[in-house]
Amino acid sequence: MTSTASQHPILDKPYVLDLFAGPGGLDVAGHALDIPSLGIEWDKSACLTRYAAGLDTLHADVSAVRRDAFESLPPEINVLAGGPPCQTYSVAGKGAGRQALDEVKKYIERLTTGDSDEAIDEDLSTLTDPRTAMVLEPLRYAIQATRSPNRDERPYDVIVLEQVPAVIALWEHYATVLRENGLPDGTKYDVAVGVLSTETYGVPQTRSRAVLIARRKGLGRPSLPQATHCAYDAKAWNRRNEQAANQVRQPTLDEVPPPADDSDLLPWRSMGDALEDPVGAHPGRVTPFLVRSNYGSSGHPGRRGVRSDRQPATTVTGRISRFVVFEHLDENILREGARFSMNEAGILQSFPPDYPWSGTAQAQQVGNAVPPVFGTHLLSAALGLPTPDADVLRKPWQSATESQRAKLRSHGCGDPDFCTARCPRPETQSPPRSTPSTTSPTVGRPRSPAALVSRRSSSL
């Protein structure tokens, strides 16, 4: 259930350890809430983005840090967070993780009953896809904290996890064992679990995430964050457009308002709302426009989703740079325009304007990240903080100075300018490259808005 009660901070000095930190979605959320964080990330390019953004980072493999360098982590850390790799659980992947759900549940039970790391590691090596085991790392970190002399064997006070909806069954199993069995040292947690829609928290895209929030017993029962914005209803939107099309004067797409809602919630944020106005280095994007996604809708590869600037974006993935944007020349003619820049793609993911995307595979970095605005709501609910302001991350991001970047990289990689032997090997850090975004508009064959809109389905 979502929280409706007044919020009271449960920790005096929260300090977040962000596993699988990516380019910094959850860390940016912590920054907005004045909460320090340390992120562990294996991908070199994502780390370059983090250094440029001024985020404290370890360029390392999460499992290796747990095994070999856990004692070097700041003992003040009291919040564990993370979004393990989702490729094997995502509906877009081959499904090795979904097939292994029952097997992974058994590993969760073995970990909480105190089975040795060596025995578990040996058995995990038989999994079809080793990334499937990454979903166990947050639990293994929670257990390791209770065995760490550097922490005086003190458990984490709060755990915050997010993943694709397919992982909800594992989060529910996490919740059961954390409540009933607890960790091997006896530490138990109160837990809230659910699937949330990011547009209901002000993110200008539709994206569903499985969420777990746990608090150590005695710190109060956690609740999932209360929605602040209306949910996007694709069927209702399409019905309104069909009704409008039957009127004597057909309104253009940008004139069709979002579905009415009788609640006190704010309207969901549209792509146009996020991108229309100039801010920082973003020049503003002319509206109205239509966007055709590069991937199939509802699991149908032959179907391409089309949305207008008055709607939230479809889920932002590593293919965001391939989305085709059509600009209105007049009411009935479109032309293919400039595709989304990385700055725009980041804004649709709710990163602040001017976030310093760096390295290669930048679209993949954007798509893999936790939407920062969503992250502010997760952390606020977990820590008993007030509901974040709707515009909390709409100001341009201030990047690190060169000296700050060098200092962060010295800490994260061991050298101010280069990776070192302690960093993950280069051959293990090459996520699929995305097609570079187009920077100049291409005039194509005039197209009818109705022809594009007719390709939408009620599943968008």
Side-chain angles (χ1 to χ4, degrees), residues 213-433:
I213 296 176
R215 291 180 184 171
R216 186 170 50 80
K217 286 280 188 180
L219 292 176
R221 291 183 177 275
S223 297
L224 299 179
Q226 184 177 5
T228 54
H229 293 65
C230 297
Y232 172 72
D233 186 335
K235 291 183 179 179
W237 175 269
N238 290 337
R239 282 196 302 269
R240 292 181 68 89
N241 278 280
E242 290 169 2
Q243 292 168 1
N246 293 326
Q247 295 176 357
V248 175
R249 185 186 71 82
Q250 296 185 7
T252 58
L253 285 174
D254 62 309
E255 291 178 307
V256 180
D261 193 287
D262 294 331
S263 72
D264 294 330
L265 298 176
L266 297 169
W268 35 256
R269 287 191 66 204
S270 68
M271 290 184 283
D273 178 47
L275 299 177
E276 182 176 15
D277 295 331
V279 57
H282 173 58
R285 181 171 279 271
V286 176
T287 57
F289 60 82
L290 294 177
V291 179
R292 186 178 67 208
S293 67
N294 183 258
Y295 49 84
S297 299
S298 301
H300 299 286
R303 185 186 300 167
R304 293 292 183 265
V306 177
R307 291 189 181 181
S308 81
D309 63 282
R310 292 301 308 278
Q311 297 167 276
T314 54
T315 301
V316 172
T317 70
R319 298 179 181 179
I320 182 67
S321 61
R322 304 178 190 176
F323 286 16
V324 182
V325 181
F326 296 92
E327 300 171 346
H328 282 257
L329 295 180
D330 60 36
E331 185 173 333
N332 296 305
I333 299 178
L334 299 172
R335 72 171 180 182
E336 186 172 333
R339 300 192 182 190
F340 291 133
S341 67
M342 284 304 99
N343 194 13
E344 289 178 313
I347 292 171
L348 292 177
Q349 186 72 305
S350 79
F351 276 86
D354 297 349
Y355 197 70
W357 303 103
S358 305
T360 61
Q362 293 180 16
Q364 198 70 39
Q365 292 182 49
V366 175
N368 288 346
V370 177
V373 166
F374 183 57
T376 64
H377 287 269
L378 293 182
L379 290 177
S380 294
L383 298 171
L385 303 177
T387 300
D389 184 88
D391 296 329
V392 65
L393 288 170
R394 299 187 76 170
K395 294 181 179 179
W397 185 263
Q398 297 298 314
S399 297
T401 65
E402 187 58 30
S403 61
Q404 290 171 334
R405 183 209 61 79
K407 182 177 180 181
L408 288 167
R409 186 159 190 179
S410 293
H411 176 239
C413 290
D415 187 278
D417 297 302
F418 303 100
C419 284
T420 65
R422 80 185 195 192
C423 299
R425 296 189 307 275
E427 61 267 24
T428 68
Q429 41 185 295
S430 300
R433 292 176 181 270

Side-chain angles (χ1 to χ4, degrees), residues 18-21 39-44 47 51 57-66 69 73 141 411-413 419 422-425 428-429:
D18 186 8
L19 307 180
F20 314 102
I40 304 177
E41 173 54 38
W42 69 274
D43 177 58
K44 177 179 178 179
C47 286
Y51 298 144
T57 302
L58 290 179
H59 183 195
D61 178 86
V62 165
S63 299
V65 172
R66 172 181 53 80
L73 297 176
Y141 265 74
H411 176 239
C413 290
C419 284
R422 80 185 195 192
C423 299
R425 296 189 307 275
T428 68
Q429 41 185 295

Side-chain angles (χ1 to χ4, degrees), residues 17-336:
L17 177 62
D18 186 8
L19 307 180
F20 314 102
L26 203 61
D27 304 79
V28 170
H31 180 275
L33 300 173
D34 293 324
I35 297 172
S37 64
L38 169 64
I40 304 177
E41 173 54 38
W42 69 274
D43 177 58
K44 177 179 178 179
S45 290
C47 286
L48 292 178
T49 296
R50 294 177 59 86
Y51 298 144
L55 302 177
D56 199 7
T57 302
L58 290 179
H59 183 195
D61 178 86
V62 165
S63 299
V65 172
R66 172 181 53 80
R67 289 192 306 265
D68 306 324
F70 192 91
E71 294 304 301
S72 68
L73 297 176
E76 300 84 7
I77 289 172
N78 50 14
V79 179
L80 179 68
C86 69
Q87 291 91 336
T88 63
Y89 297 94
S90 171
V91 294
K94 295 182 179 179
R98 297 195 302 278
Q99 296 168 12
L101 281 175
D102 289 340
E103 187 174 359
V104 173
K105 289 179 182 179
K106 294 177 183 178
Y107 283 108
I108 292 173
E109 294 168 4
R110 289 178 60 184
L111 284 166
T112 55
T113 55
D115 271 20
S116 71
D117 285 337
E118 293 77 10
I120 288 176
D121 284 339
E122 182 176 353
D123 292 343
L124 284 172
S125 66
T126 65
L127 288 175
T128 304
D129 189 326
R131 293 175 300 180
T132 302
M134 292 293 99
V135 78
L136 297 170
E137 282 298 334
L139 180 57
R140 302 187 80 170
Y141 265 74
I143 294 170
Q144 190 68 22
T146 66
R147 299 169 176 169
S148 169
N150 190 42
R151 298 177 51 85
D152 296 326
E153 301 180 349
R154 178 170 42 84
Y156 295 120
D157 293 314
V158 175
I159 301 173
V160 180
L161 305 176
E162 67 88 42
Q163 248 280 12
V164 294
V167 179
I168 189 64
L170 290 183
W171 285 169
E172 289 172 344
H173 202 62
Y174 255 71
T176 297
V177 297
L178 288 174
R179 288 190 198 107
E180 298 178 2
N181 303 332
L183 305 180
D185 75 326
T187 300
K188 294 185 178 182
Y189 290 83
D190 290 313
V191 191
V193 176
V195 175
L196 305 178
S197 299
T198 60
E199 84 274 10
T200 64
Y201 299 94
V203 178
Q205 68 167 295
T206 52
R207 184 187 193 102
S208 296
R209 305 302 288 176
V211 169
L212 177 148
I213 296 176
R215 291 180 184 171
R216 186 170 50 80
K217 286 280 188 180
L219 292 176
R221 291 183 177 275
S223 297
L224 299 179
Q226 184 177 5
T228 54
H229 293 65
C230 297
Y232 172 72
D233 186 335
K235 291 183 179 179
W237 175 269
N238 290 337
R239 282 196 302 269
R240 292 181 68 89
N241 278 280
E242 290 169 2
Q243 292 168 1
N246 293 326
Q247 295 176 357
V248 175
R249 185 186 71 82
Q250 296 185 7
T252 58
L253 285 174
D254 62 309
E255 291 178 307
V256 180
D261 193 287
D262 294 331
S263 72
D264 294 330
L265 298 176
L266 297 169
W268 35 256
R269 287 191 66 204
S270 68
M271 290 184 283
D273 178 47
L275 299 177
E276 182 176 15
D277 295 331
V279 57
H282 173 58
R285 181 171 279 271
V286 176
T287 57
F289 60 82
L290 294 177
V291 179
R292 186 178 67 208
S293 67
N294 183 258
Y295 49 84
S297 299
S298 301
H300 299 286
R303 185 186 300 167
R304 293 292 183 265
V306 177
R307 291 189 181 181
S308 81
D309 63 282
R310 292 301 308 278
Q311 297 167 276
T314 54
T315 301
V316 172
T317 70
R319 298 179 181 179
I320 182 67
S321 61
R322 304 178 190 176
F323 286 16
V324 182
V325 181
F326 296 92
E327 300 171 346
H328 282 257
L329 295 180
D330 60 36
E331 185 173 333
N332 296 305
I333 299 178
L334 299 172
R335 72 171 180 182
E336 186 172 333

